[in-house]
């Protein structure tokens, strides 16, 4: 049924809010499903391997086991445990390929002991042998025995997909993953193997493990007397950090950290490394400490009855609870009530004069 145009447009905002569909690559491939079925079959063989051993009569058990080992009864027990009832794809594949599995079990197991190779690679042709790829199961770059020289992953390895190209491991590059990237050097190379080892952190290129083996220094390092040494960016002029920060050197780099809140400029972490103190703070015992304005000889709060409370870097003046605040004083409750109860002075009338 086709939705009317208006209804379809109304669904558009809802569709935009839906999470993106999983990538096609995440959907199990035919090879992945076949391999999964074979893995479960092999596990079923393990689980039923000694099922008929009861203990006691060893000769009878061995005779019974030899019959059970390749019996249809054992095959049925394995098949029954292969797929969960809710696994539609597994059950669909099992139903379609049950005859193949039965033929292998009863007739071909001795000749082809590797079920995966016979079933997934040669019979269904959905997988390839390790080290091969693509529709025709061609050898990966570097050969099927050591794809990508053992230093990378072959695209499509073991499947009917991919192009056989190499995705090299960290430190390796080149079509066969035999060359070393910058930051690595060749510590072993012969006709069959290539091993790249990480340079010292100070080297961009190198021929050995130490900072004296660098061909070129990394950014943040400089060649000094034959070795790559760390550049102290914090000693540069002008300094690399802002006036409210201090510089912290690190190997090949640096970071800018915020000064303590009591500082006006600083040379390091904490109130003991301030260049100057902010207003409300003063240097005490080598560091910027809060000034208690309320304890100074000269009163900070000058109104009568007023209380002084110190705060970090400042202070506040507050009238006690119940006192009335005026411009000049904090008026006690009794005085405030008396003032409010007094009648205003009455001026004499013209007749009284």
């Amino acid at each position: 049924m086709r939705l009317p145009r208006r209804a379809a447009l109304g669904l558009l905002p809802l569709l935009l809010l839906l999470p993106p569909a999983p990538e096609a690559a995440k959907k199990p491939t035919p090879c992945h499903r076949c391999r999964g079925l074979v893995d479960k079959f092999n596990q079923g063989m393990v689980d039923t391997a000694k099922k008929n051993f009861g203990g006691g009569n060893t000769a009878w058990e061995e005779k019974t086991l030899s019959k059970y080992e390749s019996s249809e009864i054992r095959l049925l027990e394995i098949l029954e445990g292969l797929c969960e009832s809710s696994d539609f794809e597994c059950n669909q594949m099992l139903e379609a390929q049950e005859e193949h599995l039965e033929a292998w079990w009863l007739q071909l197991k001795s000749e082809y002991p590797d079920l995966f190779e016979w079933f997934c690679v040669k019979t269904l042709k959905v997988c390839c042998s390790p080290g091969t790829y693509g529709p025709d199961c061609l050898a990966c770059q570097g050969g099927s025995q050591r794809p990508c020289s053992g230093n990378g992953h072959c695209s499509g390895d073991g499947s009917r997909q991919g192009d056989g190209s190499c995705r090299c491991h960290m430190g390796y590059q080149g079509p066969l993953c035999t060359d070393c990237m910058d930051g690595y050097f060749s510590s072993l190379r012969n006709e069959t193997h290539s091993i790249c080892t990480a340079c010292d952190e100070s080297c961009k290129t190198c021929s050995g493990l130490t900072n004296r083996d660098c061909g070129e220094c990394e950014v943040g390092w400089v060649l000094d007397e034959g070795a790559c040494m760390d550049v102290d960016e914090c000693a540069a002029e002008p300094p690399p950090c802002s006036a409210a920060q201090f510089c912290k050197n690190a190997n090949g780099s640096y970071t800018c950290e915020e000064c303590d809140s009591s500082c006006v400029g600083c040379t390091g972490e904490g109130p003991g490394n301030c260049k100057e103190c902010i207003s409300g703070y003063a240097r005490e015992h080598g560091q910027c400490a809060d000034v208690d304005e309320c304890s100074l000889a000269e009163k900070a709060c000058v109104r009568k009855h007023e209380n002084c409370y110190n705060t970090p870097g400042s202070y506040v003046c507050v009238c006690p609870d119940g006192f009335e605040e005026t411009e000049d004083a904090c008026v006690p409750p009794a005085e405030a009530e008396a003032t409010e109860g007094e009648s205003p002075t009455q001026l004499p009338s013209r007749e009284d004069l």
Side-chain angles (χ1 to χ4, degrees):
M1 181 181 74
R2 185 173 180 177
L3 287 171
R5 181 176 176 80
R6 184 179 296 276
L9 288 173
L11 287 173
L12 183 58
L14 293 175
L15 293 173
L16 292 174
L17 292 173
L18 292 173
E23 298 177 14
K26 293 182 179 179
K27 184 178 179 180
T29 62
C31 178
H32 185 272
R33 289 197 293 270
C34 187
R35 186 184 293 276
L37 192 70
V38 168
D39 288 345
K40 291 176 181 177
F41 194 100
N42 288 334
Q43 185 59 50
M45 291 175 65
V46 172
D47 295 341
T48 58
K50 294 187 176 182
K51 189 171 179 181
N52 273 29
F53 272 125
N57 192 333
T58 304
W60 179 86
E61 286 173 347
E62 288 179 351
K63 182 180 178 181
T64 303
L65 182 62
S66 65
K67 292 179 180 179
Y68 173 75
E69 184 179 14
S70 57
S71 68
E72 289 189 52
I73 294 175
R74 185 183 179 195
L75 172 63
L76 288 173
E77 289 176 353
I78 294 171
L79 294 177
E80 285 175 0
L82 283 186
C83 303
E84 298 288 340
S85 58
S86 59
D87 191 339
F88 173 75
E89 289 186 342
C90 179
N91 283 290
Q92 186 182 45
M93 187 174 190
L94 178 59
E95 185 177 351
Q97 307 302 333
E98 190 169 348
E99 289 184 5
H100 280 126
L101 292 172
E102 184 176 344
W104 177 81
W105 178 264
L106 297 175
Q107 302 167 19
L108 303 170
K109 185 167 58 168
S110 299
E111 186 178 353
Y112 302 101
D114 188 335
L115 176 58
F116 171 77
E117 186 74 17
W118 177 84
F119 184 56
C120 299
V121 177
K122 298 185 181 301
T123 303
L124 300 187
K125 299 184 185 322
V126 293
C127 297
C128 291
S129 300
T132 62
Y133 74 96
D136 300 319
C137 293
L138 302 175
C140 289
Q141 294 284 337
S144 60
Q145 296 302 310
R146 296 186 74 247
C148 305
S149 309
N151 299 325
H153 176 73
C154 167
S155 172
D157 191 351
S159 74
R160 297 275 169 163
Q161 301 177 328
D163 60 8
S165 62
C166 292
R167 187 170 72 248
C168 302
H169 299 325
M170 179 63 72
Y172 296 88
Q173 63 182 359
L176 300 179
C177 301
T178 53
D179 301 324
C180 300
M181 296 173 60
D182 280 356
Y184 292 80
F185 70 97
S186 179
S187 55
L188 172 67
R189 185 158 186 169
N190 54 34
E191 293 180 358
T192 58
H193 290 74
S194 176
I195 298 177
C196 295
T197 302
C199 300
D200 184 82
E201 62 176 335
S202 64
C203 305
K204 184 175 182 180
T205 60
C206 71
S207 57
L209 288 170
T210 74
N211 65 339
R212 293 189 172 276
D213 299 314
C214 301
E216 183 181 350
C217 297
E218 266 289 3
V219 175
W221 305 78
V222 66
L223 190 63
D224 183 12
E225 296 183 359
C228 285
M229 306 298 291
D230 173 50
V231 174
D232 185 0
E233 295 86 355
C234 298
E237 288 295 340
C241 302
S242 73
Q245 298 175 319
F246 66 94
C247 184
K248 207 170 185 179
N249 191 49
N251 281 345
S253 186
Y254 67 96
T255 57
C256 292
E257 307 285 344
E258 296 298 319
C259 292
D260 189 82
S261 59
S262 65
C263 300
V264 177
C266 66
T267 57
E269 186 176 4
N273 287 299
C274 298
K275 292 180 179 178
E276 294 180 29
C277 302
I278 63 170
S279 177
Y281 283 78
R283 195 167 294 279
E284 183 180 317
H285 304 302
Q287 62 182 23
C288 287
D290 173 50
V291 174
D292 184 359
E293 292 86 354
C294 298
S295 65
L296 297 177
E298 184 179 345
K299 286 189 176 182
C301 300
V302 296
R303 292 185 301 179
K304 189 178 181 181
H305 300 306
E306 191 171 37
N307 290 332
C308 180
Y309 294 98
N310 189 51
T311 61
S314 187
Y315 63 97
V316 292
C317 299
V318 180
C319 287
D321 288 344
F323 279 59
E324 183 177 322
E325 188 170 352
T326 69
E327 186 176 344
D328 301 322
C330 295
V331 182
E335 292 182 18
E337 290 172 6
T339 303
E340 291 173 3
E342 290 178 359
S343 301
T345 304
Q346 187 173 2
L347 294 173
S349 66
R350 185 183 295 272
E351 288 79 7
D352 294 334
L353 294 175

